[in-house]
Amino acid sequence: MAKQVKTDRREFIKYSTLGVLGLVLGGGIVFSPYLQAKENRLRPPGAVPEKEFLGLCIKCGQCLQVCPYHSIELADITKGAGEGTPYIDANIRGCYACDAVPCVLACPSGALDHSCSKPEDIQMGVAVLEFPDTCLAMTNTPVPKGYNDKMKAFTASVNNVTSQELQLLEKFDGYEGKECTLCADMCPVPNPLSAIAMVPDAQGGKRPEIYDGCIGCGACQEVCPTQKPSIVVKPRVTYEQYYEKTT
């Protein structure tokens, strides 16, 4: 009987250990952000290629501190590899292509290339009309009430609201009930018509047409009033790379 108890105890310890180990490893596989697929993030202006960027960025947050639109966030552990590095979530706040590109000037490590010194030098990605069926302009749907609630809420959440943000809110106001031209009107490129314009479509409405002056700043994605933005930015892709592949 004593031998049976000893054997049972060994079996219990063995399988308990295996069970705990399985839970730990299983949890790691399921929950570890480092084992999940990498997210192609929208980086601040001047960001060097991603692999080089991750090696150069010292996660100092200086770019975030000088951004007058509070566009830049630092990735937390849920974002996987690159924790602490700066990125832009265009669903919340796009980049507004500041004249002096202060985020680049503030970067001490070269992760943001200092040759990017003016808005025309910026190349973050390219805008794409991803969901034309929901585009208000293409469906001749007026801009709905409350379209600017998200921007108002974001501005209210900021501790040190800047004059640039207040000007942005003012520019964004007054579209309710009108034809939607927000993506084109809010484009911060110095010559917006080189990046995006509203053009007639075959159904008698209008649609946003993207041109090679697009810098992929994400402003159009932020201001798109549909529940899920109809227009989105593809990070780290040039106009030629995207549109030549799809035409």
Side-chain angles (χ1 to χ4, degrees):
M1 178 64 69
K3 184 177 180 181
Q4 180 65 40
V5 170
K6 190 173 182 180
T7 302
D8 289 346
R9 183 179 296 169
R10 284 177 180 170
E11 292 294 308
F12 174 78
I13 292 171
K14 180 175 76 173
Y15 287 112
S16 295
T17 303
L18 288 173
V20 171
L21 184 60
L23 285 172
V24 171
L25 291 176
I29 291 170
V30 173
F31 297 111
S32 173
Y34 297 98
L35 296 177
Q36 293 174 4
K38 286 185 179 179
E39 178 186 354
N40 195 16
R41 300 189 192 104
L42 187 63
R43 296 296 187 185
V48 297
E50 186 69 10
K51 187 175 180 181
E52 187 181 352
F53 177 86
L54 291 174
L56 287 172
C57 179
I58 60 174
K59 307 174 183 180
C60 63
Q62 290 299 311
C63 55
L64 180 151
Q65 295 297 325
V66 300
C67 177
Y69 292 96
H70 296 92
S71 303
I72 302 172
E73 303 179 48
L74 297 181
D76 60 24
I77 194 169
T78 63
K79 296 294 182 181
E83 178 189 355
T85 58
Y87 74 103
I88 291 171
D89 184 346
N91 285 323
I92 299 173
R93 173 69 95 203
C95 165
Y96 284 89
C98 302
D99 287 340
V101 202
C103 54
V104 174
L105 289 174
C107 178
S109 69
L112 303 182
D113 189 347
H114 283 226
S115 66
C116 179
S117 60
K118 56 186 184 298
E120 292 85 353
D121 297 332
I122 298 172
Q123 184 54 62
M124 300 162 64
V126 68
V128 175
L129 185 60
E130 187 91 313
F131 305 106
D133 291 345
T134 63
C135 174
L136 298 187
M138 293 189 68
T139 57
N140 291 306
T141 305
V143 176
K145 182 179 180 180
Y147 75 95
N148 54 357
D149 286 350
K150 184 177 72 170
M151 185 180 285
K152 286 181 178 179
F154 177 84
T155 306
S157 71
V158 173
N159 291 327
N160 52 334
V161 178
T162 64
S163 60
Q164 291 96 323
E165 288 176 302
L166 294 176
Q167 290 167 9
L168 184 66
L169 263 181
E170 185 178 354
K171 183 179 180 181
F172 195 48
D173 196 23
Y175 281 86
E176 183 183 325
K178 296 181 179 179
E179 176 185 56
C180 188
T181 55
L182 283 164
C183 55
D185 291 350
M186 299 298 291
C187 177
V189 173
N191 178 16
L193 290 178
S194 71
I196 185 171
M198 304 304 295
V199 300
D201 68 5
Q203 285 71 44
K206 290 184 178 179
R207 61 180 173 81
E209 181 79 11
I210 314 300
Y211 300 113
D212 60 5
C214 175
I215 61 174
C217 62
C220 56
Q221 182 172 332
E222 178 198 347
V223 303
C224 181
T226 53
Q227 187 170 10
K228 183 177 183 179
S230 302
I231 190 167
V232 299
V233 168
K234 303 293 183 182
R236 293 193 175 278
V237 178
T238 67
Y239 178 89
E240 291 76 14
Q241 287 171 334
Y242 183 84
Y243 286 100
E244 285 182 5
K245 281 183 179 179
T246 56
T247 55

